[in-house]
Amino acid sequence: MKIQTIKVYKINIPLKEGSYKWAHSNWVEEFDTSIVVIETDKNIIGIGEVCTLGSSYLPAYSKGVRSGILEIGQSLIGMNPTDIANINLEMEKKLKGHPYVKSPIDMACWDILGKYHKMPLWKLLGGKFGEEIDLYRAISQEDSETMKSKVKEYKEEGYSKFQLKVGGEYEEDIERITSVSSILDSNNILVADANTGWKSHEALKVIKKTSKLDVYIEQPCETYRDCVAVRKKTINPFILDESIDSINNFLQAYNDGAMDIINLKISKLGGLYKSKQLRDLCIELKIPMTIEDSWGGDIATAAISHLAHSTPEKFRFSSTDFNSYNSFSYSEGSPQRIDGKMTASDSYGLGVELDFSKLGEPEFVIS
């Protein structure tokens, strides 16, 4: 089998809530997502997606995805997409770094691999664990009463895990955490996600003022050093996200005892190939994970579901379903949230069929 054509589409995905806000005064009203369609000489098509959550969250940006694919795409024409290790080596050879550029291509190749072997992706990634995947709900950064109201609403929809977007003025963050905590039950999980927004002294003040509450602290500071310093001064369960952008960085954090849980984002690693490597390493080292991506639509949600569902439940701290945050769907077969949970499809590959009428014309075609 050979790759014949790579098509790249750009679509904008509006948010159901109108906007999404997090640390450093970042906010968006719609997401620019890139969809990759790989066509083969065996009439098997693979699809992938990456959405960078704007240009100021990680060292990644939406226009960079498409220009990066133009840089590496031609070298992939004629290669066998089911030789995923070789595909990843070729992408790294042609473009150092920029894993987010490679992620949708890798994802599309996995989709082809599943369709070729007539297997759902979860089977190729390790098998299915459990009947459902528990989801968290991210709560956009607002005033404390608005965030409290949203948590109450999502509790009624079946969610039991909530990720508060904090990392603003620390006094306001204390109120946000305290207010939301007051309406949670003992079986609920509350994560205060600062998205690198606090200085270390601010993080310590927040932790001290909320020390009697059952709350996880996620990525309080921008630098790994500051996160470790905060970690050493608190007994709160600790999550690292932005600092874990490679297997080497994970190993350093593990050896430093820097976290209890990590957020594994597919595009930060460059796709499912390396995400599976890190996932399996976390299982071996007994580190639970939130399995997700930076953002996305139907395809990204499907990829998340397969990686999460093929992860043993005791190491699957949480996951997310980005397509339920969005007001635009472009496919059939993507996982749908029911009572705060989702399941991975049993159809071949990702299990997603694109509605090309909603994608428009591709931005470019490589052949």
Side-chain angles (χ1 to χ4, degrees):
M1 189 189 307
K2 295 180 180 180
I3 295 174
Q4 283 191 325
T5 304
I6 300 172
K7 296 180 179 179
V8 178
Y9 297 81
K10 172 192 179 300
I11 59 173
N12 292 326
I13 302 181
L15 289 158
K16 287 181 179 177
E17 292 187 354
S19 66
Y20 181 75
K21 303 173 185 176
W22 67 100
H24 304 293
S25 299
N26 285 320
W27 64 277
V28 292
E29 292 180 340
E30 63 179 15
F31 290 100
D32 176 341
T33 191
S34 297
I35 293 174
V36 169
V37 177
I38 294 180
E39 299 174 343
T40 70
D41 62 348
K42 299 296 184 182
N43 295 318
I44 299 176
I45 294 175
I47 58 176
E49 178 184 22
V50 67
C51 185
T52 62
L53 193 57
S55 300
S56 56
Y57 169 56
L58 292 171
Y61 68 108
S62 56
K63 292 180 182 177
V65 175
R66 296 184 285 273
S67 62
I69 292 173
L70 281 171
E71 188 76 13
I72 64 178
Q74 195 64 52
S75 68
L76 303 177
I77 300 299
M79 292 189 68
N80 188 335
T82 65
D83 292 339
I84 293 178
N86 285 339
I87 293 288
N88 275 266
L89 286 171
E90 182 64 21
M91 289 194 290
E92 186 63 23
K93 177 182 174 183
K94 295 299 182 182
L95 181 66
K96 296 297 182 185
H98 302 280
Y100 66 102
V101 170
K102 302 160 188 171
S103 185
I105 294 175
D106 170 273
M107 196 179 291
C109 289
W110 278 94
D111 189 33
I112 291 169
L113 182 67
K115 291 172 179 174
Y116 178 74
H117 289 292
K118 298 183 178 181
M119 293 182 182
L121 221 57
W122 57 259
K123 187 175 287 290
L124 294 172
L125 292 169
K128 184 178 281 189
F129 293 88
E131 296 300 318
E132 300 168 313
I133 304 162
D134 288 335
L135 304 170
Y136 76 81
R137 190 73 188 190
I139 308 300
S140 175
Q141 188 179 113
E142 308 281 356
D143 65 85
S144 62
E145 285 304 307
T146 299
M147 295 179 82
K148 180 179 177 180
S149 176
K150 287 183 178 180
V151 168
K152 184 176 180 181
E153 174 187 338
Y154 289 123
K155 274 187 68 178
E156 292 172 355
E157 292 185 10
Y159 286 96
S160 61
K161 301 179 180 183
F162 305 95
Q163 184 197 70
L164 298 188
K165 292 301 178 181
V166 290
E169 295 295 330
Y170 72 88
E171 297 95 339
E172 295 177 12
D173 287 334
I174 292 168
E175 178 59 30
R176 290 176 175 117
I177 296 167
T178 303
S179 178
V180 169
S181 182
S182 69
I183 63 168
L184 296 184
D185 305 320
S186 59
N187 65 332
N188 293 151
I189 288 177
L190 180 62
V191 177
D193 181 12
N195 285 121
T196 77
W198 292 325
K199 298 292 186 287
S200 57
H201 70 93
E202 294 170 333
L204 292 170
K205 287 183 178 181
V206 174
I207 291 168
K208 182 178 180 180
K209 289 290 186 178
T210 59
S211 61
K212 295 183 179 180
L213 305 178
D214 187 6
V215 59
Y216 290 72
I217 302 299
E218 181 173 331
Q219 193 73 38
C221 306
E222 187 168 3
T223 71
Y224 173 72
R225 178 187 177 279
D226 284 347
C227 285
V228 172
V230 172
R231 157 74 162 173
K232 290 179 178 178
K233 296 178 181 178
T234 177
I235 60 172
N236 293 69
F238 211 82
I239 304 172
L240 284 181
D241 179 359
E242 288 85 349
S243 291
I244 307 297
D245 58 5
S246 69
I247 292 174
N248 283 340
N249 284 351
F250 166 77
L251 287 171
Q252 179 183 352
Y254 173 78
N255 289 327
D256 291 344
M259 75 284 173
D260 303 292
I261 299 165
I262 68 161
N263 278 11
L264 193 164
K265 288 184 165 73
I266 293 171
S267 61
K268 278 198 303 183
L269 278 297
L272 289 165
Y273 178 69
K274 290 185 179 178
S275 292
K276 181 183 183 299
Q277 290 178 339
L278 180 54
R279 188 276 306 268
D280 293 344
L281 182 58
C282 285
I283 292 170
E284 179 67 22
L285 297 176
K286 309 296 188 291
I287 299 293
M289 296 155 277
T290 290
I291 295 177
E292 56 174 352
D293 209 334
S294 296
W295 203 272
D298 295 344
I299 301 171
T301 299
I304 291 165
S305 73
H306 285 283
L307 187 61
H309 225 151
S310 61
T311 302
E313 292 170 283
K314 65 180 178 179
F315 299 112
R316 197 169 68 214
F317 178 68
S318 191
S319 194
T320 196
D321 58 328
F322 289 125
N323 57 356
S324 76
Y325 294 72
N326 304 327
S327 61
F328 178 72
S329 175
Y330 52 79
S331 73
E332 294 291 336
S334 183
Q336 300 299 308
R337 169 180 52 83
I338 300 175
D339 296 329
K341 301 176 187 296
M342 71 175 175
T343 60
S345 172
D346 290 332
S347 298
Y348 300 155
L350 288 167
V352 174
E353 294 293 330
L354 290 180
D355 182 347
F356 283 95
S357 68
K358 294 184 176 181
L359 299 186
E361 294 297 317
E363 288 284 291
F364 57 86
V365 178
I366 302 170
S367 59

mmCIF file of all heavy atoms in Angstrom, residues 242-261:
data_model
loop_
_atom_site.group_PDB
_atom_site.id
_atom_site.type_symbol
_atom_site.label_atom_id
_atom_site.label_comp_id
_atom_site.label_asym_id
_atom_site.label_seq_id
_atom_site.Cartn_x
_atom_site.Cartn_y
_atom_site.Cartn_z
ATOM 1 N N GLU A 242 1.582 20.981 30.802
ATOM 2 C CA GLU A 242 2.421 21.662 29.812
ATOM 3 C C GLU A 242 3.886 21.259 29.904
ATOM 4 O O GLU A 242 4.608 21.298 28.897
ATOM 5 C CB GLU A 242 2.274 23.177 29.961
ATOM 6 C CG GLU A 242 0.946 23.736 29.486
ATOM 7 C CD GLU A 242 -0.168 23.678 30.520
ATOM 8 O OE1 GLU A 242 0.000 23.012 31.560
ATOM 9 O OE2 GLU A 242 -1.213 24.296 30.285
ATOM 10 N N SER A 243 4.352 20.879 31.077
ATOM 11 C CA SER A 243 5.759 20.480 31.239
ATOM 12 C C SER A 243 6.059 19.117 30.629
ATOM 13 O O SER A 243 7.227 18.775 30.406
ATOM 14 C CB SER A 243 6.135 20.448 32.726
ATOM 15 O OG SER A 243 6.161 21.751 33.272
ATOM 16 N N ILE A 244 5.019 18.315 30.371
ATOM 17 C CA ILE A 244 5.231 16.968 29.847
ATOM 18 C C ILE A 244 4.979 16.982 28.343
ATOM 19 O O ILE A 244 3.876 16.719 27.855
ATOM 20 C CB ILE A 244 4.298 15.947 30.539
ATOM 21 C CG1 ILE A 244 4.444 16.031 32.055
ATOM 22 C CG2 ILE A 244 4.600 14.541 30.045
ATOM 23 C CD1 ILE A 244 5.821 15.684 32.580
ATOM 24 N N ASP A 245 6.015 17.345 27.587
ATOM 25 C CA ASP A 245 5.873 17.423 26.138
ATOM 26 C C ASP A 245 6.820 16.471 25.403
ATOM 27 O O ASP A 245 6.997 16.577 24.192
ATOM 28 C CB ASP A 245 6.077 18.853 25.650
ATOM 29 C CG ASP A 245 7.442 19.420 26.026
ATOM 30 O OD1 ASP A 245 8.262 18.679 26.588
ATOM 31 O OD2 ASP A 245 7.677 20.609 25.753
ATOM 32 N N SER A 246 7.401 15.527 26.139
ATOM 33 C CA SER A 246 8.233 14.499 25.523
ATOM 34 C C SER A 246 8.411 13.368 26.532
ATOM 35 O O SER A 246 8.179 13.536 27.735
ATOM 36 C CB SER A 246 9.608 15.051 25.132
ATOM 37 O OG SER A 246 10.377 15.341 26.291
ATOM 38 N N ILE A 247 8.839 12.219 26.038
ATOM 39 C CA ILE A 247 9.098 11.086 26.925
ATOM 40 C C ILE A 247 10.273 11.405 27.844
ATOM 41 O O ILE A 247 10.268 11.056 29.032
ATOM 42 C CB ILE A 247 9.342 9.819 26.099
ATOM 43 C CG1 ILE A 247 8.042 9.406 25.402
ATOM 44 C CG2 ILE A 247 9.857 8.680 26.986
ATOM 45 C CD1 ILE A 247 8.181 8.246 24.439
ATOM 46 N N ASN A 248 11.297 12.088 27.328
ATOM 47 C CA ASN A 248 12.435 12.458 28.169
ATOM 48 C C ASN A 248 12.022 13.378 29.307
ATOM 49 O O ASN A 248 12.478 13.208 30.453
ATOM 50 C CB ASN A 248 13.511 13.134 27.321
ATOM 51 C CG ASN A 248 14.315 12.138 26.502
ATOM 52 O OD1 ASN A 248 14.336 10.944 26.810
ATOM 53 N ND2 ASN A 248 14.969 12.608 25.459
ATOM 54 N N ASN A 249 11.165 14.357 29.020
ATOM 55 C CA ASN A 249 10.697 15.259 30.085
ATOM 56 C C ASN A 249 9.868 14.505 31.107
ATOM 57 O O ASN A 249 9.928 14.798 32.306
ATOM 58 C CB ASN A 249 9.896 16.413 29.495
ATOM 59 C CG ASN A 249 10.780 17.462 28.849
ATOM 60 O OD1 ASN A 249 11.995 17.423 28.978
ATOM 61 N ND2 ASN A 249 10.171 18.396 28.146
ATOM 62 N N PHE A 250 9.085 13.539 30.640
ATOM 63 C CA PHE A 250 8.329 12.718 31.586
ATOM 64 C C PHE A 250 9.262 11.947 32.511
ATOM 65 O O PHE A 250 9.051 11.885 33.727
ATOM 66 C CB PHE A 250 7.413 11.743 30.851
ATOM 67 C CG PHE A 250 6.881 10.665 31.752
ATOM 68 C CD1 PHE A 250 5.857 10.931 32.639
ATOM 69 C CD2 PHE A 250 7.448 9.394 31.758
ATOM 70 C CE1 PHE A 250 5.382 9.944 33.508
ATOM 71 C CE2 PHE A 250 6.989 8.402 32.611
ATOM 72 C CZ PHE A 250 5.951 8.680 33.490
ATOM 73 N N LEU A 251 10.304 11.355 31.940
ATOM 74 C CA LEU A 251 11.227 10.566 32.761
ATOM 75 C C LEU A 251 11.935 11.431 33.804
ATOM 76 O O LEU A 251 12.137 11.002 34.945
ATOM 77 C CB LEU A 251 12.248 9.870 31.869
ATOM 78 C CG LEU A 251 11.700 8.694 31.047
ATOM 79 C CD1 LEU A 251 12.735 8.220 30.043
ATOM 80 C CD2 LEU A 251 11.268 7.552 31.963
ATOM 81 N N GLN A 252 12.304 12.655 33.428
ATOM 82 C CA GLN A 252 12.897 13.553 34.408
ATOM 83 C C GLN A 252 11.912 13.854 35.529
ATOM 84 O O GLN A 252 12.257 13.806 36.707
ATOM 85 C CB GLN A 252 13.338 14.859 33.750
ATOM 86 C CG GLN A 252 13.955 15.834 34.757
ATOM 87 C CD GLN A 252 14.338 17.168 34.158
ATOM 88 O OE1 GLN A 252 14.297 17.354 32.943
ATOM 89 N NE2 GLN A 252 14.730 18.112 34.994
ATOM 90 N N ALA A 253 10.663 14.158 35.147
ATOM 91 C CA ALA A 253 9.655 14.470 36.153
ATOM 92 C C ALA A 253 9.378 13.265 37.053
ATOM 93 O O ALA A 253 9.209 13.405 38.270
ATOM 94 C CB ALA A 253 8.369 14.934 35.471
ATOM 95 N N TYR A 254 9.352 12.088 36.469
ATOM 96 C CA TYR A 254 9.139 10.876 37.268
ATOM 97 C C TYR A 254 10.283 10.676 38.258
ATOM 98 O O TYR A 254 10.058 10.411 39.452
ATOM 99 C CB TYR A 254 9.017 9.665 36.348
ATOM 100 C CG TYR A 254 8.962 8.356 37.091
ATOM 101 C CD1 TYR A 254 7.789 7.936 37.714
ATOM 102 C CD2 TYR A 254 10.095 7.532 37.194
ATOM 103 C CE1 TYR A 254 7.736 6.729 38.417
ATOM 104 C CE2 TYR A 254 10.054 6.340 37.889
ATOM 105 C CZ TYR A 254 8.872 5.947 38.500
ATOM 106 O OH TYR A 254 8.842 4.772 39.200
ATOM 107 N N ASN A 255 11.519 10.810 37.787
ATOM 108 C CA ASN A 255 12.677 10.625 38.666
ATOM 109 C C ASN A 255 12.754 11.697 39.750
ATOM 110 O O ASN A 255 13.276 11.449 40.841
ATOM 111 C CB ASN A 255 13.956 10.610 37.835
ATOM 112 C CG ASN A 255 14.102 9.344 37.007
ATOM 113 O OD1 ASN A 255 13.672 8.275 37.417
ATOM 114 N ND2 ASN A 255 14.699 9.462 35.829
ATOM 115 N N ASP A 256 12.222 12.894 39.453
ATOM 116 C CA ASP A 256 12.200 13.976 40.444
ATOM 117 C C ASP A 256 11.008 13.885 41.385
ATOM 118 O O ASP A 256 10.892 14.702 42.304
ATOM 119 C CB ASP A 256 12.156 15.339 39.729
ATOM 120 C CG ASP A 256 13.452 15.656 38.999
ATOM 121 O OD1 ASP A 256 14.471 15.009 39.283
ATOM 122 O OD2 ASP A 256 13.425 16.564 38.135
ATOM 123 N N GLY A 257 10.121 12.923 41.162
ATOM 124 C CA GLY A 257 8.911 12.837 41.974
ATOM 125 C C GLY A 257 8.051 14.085 41.838
ATOM 126 O O GLY A 257 7.447 14.549 42.803
ATOM 127 N N ALA A 258 7.980 14.617 40.609
ATOM 128 C CA ALA A 258 7.383 15.936 40.391
ATOM 129 C C ALA A 258 5.877 15.923 40.251
ATOM 130 O O ALA A 258 5.254 16.988 40.218
ATOM 131 C CB ALA A 258 7.999 16.571 39.144
ATOM 132 N N MET A 259 5.243 14.755 40.166
ATOM 133 C CA MET A 259 3.806 14.730 39.942
ATOM 134 C C MET A 259 3.228 13.389 40.363
ATOM 135 O O MET A 259 3.957 12.402 40.523
ATOM 136 C CB MET A 259 3.473 15.008 38.473
ATOM 137 C CG MET A 259 3.747 13.852 37.531
ATOM 138 S SD MET A 259 5.498 13.652 37.181
ATOM 139 C CE MET A 259 5.483 12.108 36.254
ATOM 140 N N ASP A 260 1.924 13.363 40.521
ATOM 141 C CA ASP A 260 1.192 12.125 40.771
ATOM 142 C C ASP A 260 0.474 11.645 39.514
ATOM 143 O O ASP A 260 0.210 10.450 39.352
ATOM 144 C CB ASP A 260 0.159 12.338 41.884
ATOM 145 C CG ASP A 260 0.784 12.846 43.164
ATOM 146 O OD1 ASP A 260 1.534 12.078 43.787
ATOM 147 O OD2 ASP A 260 0.539 14.012 43.530
ATOM 148 N N ILE A 261 0.144 12.589 38.644
ATOM 149 C CA ILE A 261 -0.643 12.331 37.443
ATOM 150 C C ILE A 261 -0.075 13.210 36.335
ATOM 151 O O ILE A 261 0.454 14.288 36.608
ATOM 152 C CB ILE A 261 -2.135 12.681 37.677
ATOM 153 C CG1 ILE A 261 -2.722 11.810 38.800
ATOM 154 C CG2 ILE A 261 -2.965 12.550 36.405
ATOM 155 C CD1 ILE A 261 -4.040 12.324 39.336
#
